[in-house]
Amino acid sequence: MVVPLEHVIGLSAVLFAIGTIGALTRRNLVVILMSIELMLNAVNLSFVGFARAHGDALGHVFVLMVISVAAAEVAVGLGIVISLFRNRDSVNVEDVSLLRW
Amino acid sequence: MSFPAGVFYVFAALAVVSALGMVLNLRNTVAGAMCLVVTMISLAGIYVVLEAHFVAVLQIMVYAGAILVLFLFVVMLLNLRSDAFSPPRSRIAKLAGVALGVWALVGFLGLLPGALPPIAQISPTFGSYRDVGLSLYRTYVVAFEVTSFLLLAAIVGAVVLAKRRLS
């Protein structure tokens, strides 16, 4: 392995933290979805790193599953964003507090 | 430092910088999506360094090719220029979000020393289409088929949600 596994997992943790901060602090729904994509990508990176460390292709298969779940999530999420924009004329999460107490 | 290690660190820095650019960019959602493209492509380069060639190709095709085009389509369809004019999210919620992210990062990094597996020797075909394909279609074929159902449900759900009127 050309780089230590610690560095790969560390990069994955940094990207995951950036995605978490983005998902929790931004108020644009599209940007929140993009931050969730970033978090899923960080998880993919750690899967690939551990697959290389163990020498097992199972990690790559799991990455495939995560990618398809991410694609499904983005398709449905953006569909929700579009219908929300049509009804409320906004993609701000502060305007969508109907289910909050 | 060997050449592949240098490639890893360059792509890692690029991924972190562009991810920060995506999260911190308040003005322009299209620029945020473009930053996300840079992150995805850098991650594909890192996958190549980690001998995951099939996953790297998939990353480019699905993320940089399909998912980001979907994002850009929606951003341009809704004409989202900025969210600078809407009232800002309260400062305490922002602080709580940043604190939670930093706490997660410190927790992950604190777990790092120790508990990592030793590096195994790999065959020259590791991560190739053949290896991953055999594993996918022999051992995990049920999960693969369930994935196709999931994608079908997502397609139907997205069409129903985004449709103007159900008749």
Side-chain angles (χ1 to χ4, degrees), chain A residues 17-39:
Chain A
I18 294 174
T20 313
I21 291 174
L24 290 177
T25 57
R26 296 298 301 270
R27 8 180 247 289
N28 188 330
L29 257 175
V30 179
V31 179
I32 290 178
L33 273 178
M34 286 200 268
S35 302
I36 293 173
E37 287 304 303
L38 189 62
M39 290 159 82

Side-chain angles (χ1 to χ4, degrees), chain B residues 132-165:
Chain B
V132 181
L134 282 177
S135 180
L136 190 60
Y137 287 119
R138 283 192 179 152
T139 321
Y140 304 104
V141 65
V142 179
F144 181 72
E145 295 296 336
V146 171
T147 302
S148 68
F149 274 110
L150 174 74
L151 286 176
L152 180 67
I155 293 168
V156 175
V159 169
V160 169
L161 280 170
K163 210 173 165 188
R164 199 170 284 273
R165 181 183 296 264

Side-chain angles (χ1 to χ4, degrees), chain A residues 26-33 77-96, chain B residues 29 74-75 77-83 86 89:
Chain A
R26 296 298 301 270
R27 8 180 247 289
N28 188 330
L29 257 175
V30 179
V31 179
I32 290 178
L33 273 178
L78 289 177
I80 292 174
V81 168
I82 288 180
S83 69
L84 194 71
F85 189 77
R86 211 171 266 148
N87 289 322
R88 292 277 173 105
D89 211 27
S90 158
V91 289
N92 192 333
V93 283
E94 305 278 316
D95 297 341
V96 199
Chain B
T29 316
V74 169
V75 170
L77 191 70
L78 303 183
N79 200 10
L80 302 175
R81 280 205 210 85
S82 83
D83 47 7
S86 47
R89 185 176 266 199

Side-chain angles (χ1 to χ4, degrees), chain A residues 2 7 24 26-28 37 41 44 51-53 58 63-65 67-68 70 72 80 83 85-86 92-94, chain B residues 9 23 25 40 47 49 55 58-59 62-63 78 83 86-87 89 94 100 118 120 126 136 140 147 154 161-162:
Chain A
V2 290
H7 293 186
L24 290 177
R26 296 298 301 270
R27 8 180 247 289
N28 188 330
E37 287 304 303
N41 264 287
N44 280 351
R52 172 63 191 82
L58 171 61
V63 169
L64 214 90
M65 303 299 158
I67 287 180
S68 44
I80 292 174
S83 69
F85 189 77
R86 211 171 266 148
N92 192 333
V93 283
E94 305 278 316
Chain B
Y9 290 116
V23 169
N25 183 347
M40 303 295 179
Y47 293 164
V49 174
V55 177
L58 217 62
Q59 171 88 5
V62 177
Y63 272 115
L78 303 183
D83 47 7
S86 47
R89 185 176 266 199
K94 254 182 195 174
L100 191 63
F126 178 78
L136 190 60
Y140 304 104
T147 302
L161 280 170

